[in-house]
Amino acid sequence: MKILFVCTGNICRSPMAEGILRSKLSKAGIKAEIDSCGFESFHIGDHPDNRAQSICRNYGIDISGHVARLFRKNDFDSFDRIYVMDASHYYSVSRIARSAADLKKVDYMLNLQYPGQDLPVDDPWYHDIHAFEKTYLQLDAACERLIEQLLSSKPGPQ
C-alpha cells in the first residue's frame, strides 16, 4: 500500500498525517509507503513548521526530517490512495487528474472517520499551538480509522 497526504504548503497538516500514520503502521506491523506533499511552492525544501514538529514530538513522533515538496502528476501512478485536507486541495488534485481512475484514488482525510461528509482538517497555520494540537487529534483519529481499514483488509493466515 502506498499512501500520499496533500495539504497547502506541506509543512503542517500533511507531514503531521505522514508522521502519525508511519508511527501507527510501525506499531501495527503493517508495511506501507507513506509520503506527503503540497500545492504551494513557497515552502519547497522547508522542514515542517516548528509548531507541527513540537506537537508531534509531544506524542513521540519525529517529523523534523521531512522536506516539503509539490504534488506531481505522476503521484497518481506512484500512490494507491491520496488523502487531501480540504476542498481546495481536492479541487487542485482533481484538476490534475488524467482519468477517473486517478480521481478514484483521491478522498478527503476526514472521510476516513466521517464517510462522505467531505469535512476539512483544520488548518492551524494562522493560529497558536492549541490549533496544532486540535489538528493533530483530527489527523490521529482519521489515521486510526485507516489502520483499522488496513488491518481488516489484510489477509489472514491460510
Side-chain angles (χ1 to χ4, degrees):
M1 176 66 57
K2 296 179 180 180
I3 299 168
L4 180 67
F5 296 108
V6 183
C7 72
T8 305
N10 193 216
I11 61 164
C12 294
R13 292 173 285 181
S14 60
M16 288 172 73
E18 178 184 350
I20 292 166
L21 187 60
R22 279 185 198 280
S23 176
K24 289 182 180 298
L25 288 167
S26 176
K27 289 175 185 169
I30 301 172
K31 293 190 185 293
E33 183 179 318
I34 312 301
D35 197 5
S36 64
C37 62
F39 272 103
E40 296 295 336
S41 61
F42 44 80
H43 289 295
I44 293 174
D46 290 352
H47 293 283
D49 183 281
N50 288 333
R51 297 165 294 178
Q53 289 186 52
S54 176
I55 290 297
C56 285
R57 203 170 28 255
N58 289 347
Y59 288 93
I61 298 170
D62 181 6
I63 62 170
S64 64
H66 175 76
V67 177
R69 73 168 182 89
L70 289 177
F71 184 85
R72 302 177 296 251
K73 191 179 293 189
N74 69 347
D75 284 330
F76 288 112
D77 301 322
S78 301
F79 293 93
D80 303 305
R81 297 186 189 179
I82 300 170
Y83 290 104
V84 299
M85 301 297 151
D86 63 33
S88 68
H89 308 135
Y90 189 88
Y91 174 75
S92 295
V93 170
S94 299
R95 284 189 26 228
I96 296 171
R98 303 159 297 189
S99 65
D102 282 355
L103 201 50
K104 189 175 180 181
K105 296 179 177 188
V106 183
D107 200 2
Y108 286 75
M109 180 75 182
L110 291 187
N111 279 349
L112 289 161
Q113 193 168 9
Y114 307 103
Q117 294 187 33
D118 299 345
L119 299 171
V121 173
D122 294 335
D123 186 354
W125 172 254
Y126 294 102
H127 306 287
D128 65 13
I129 194 76
H130 301 293
F132 280 81
E133 175 82 19
K134 183 179 178 190
T135 296
Y136 179 94
L137 295 173
Q138 286 181 307
L139 294 169
D140 184 66
C143 285
E144 190 62 33
R145 293 281 189 243
L146 181 53
I147 291 293
E148 291 168 7
Q149 286 180 10
L150 294 173
L151 286 172
S152 69
S153 66
K154 196 175 183 182
Q158 300 294 320

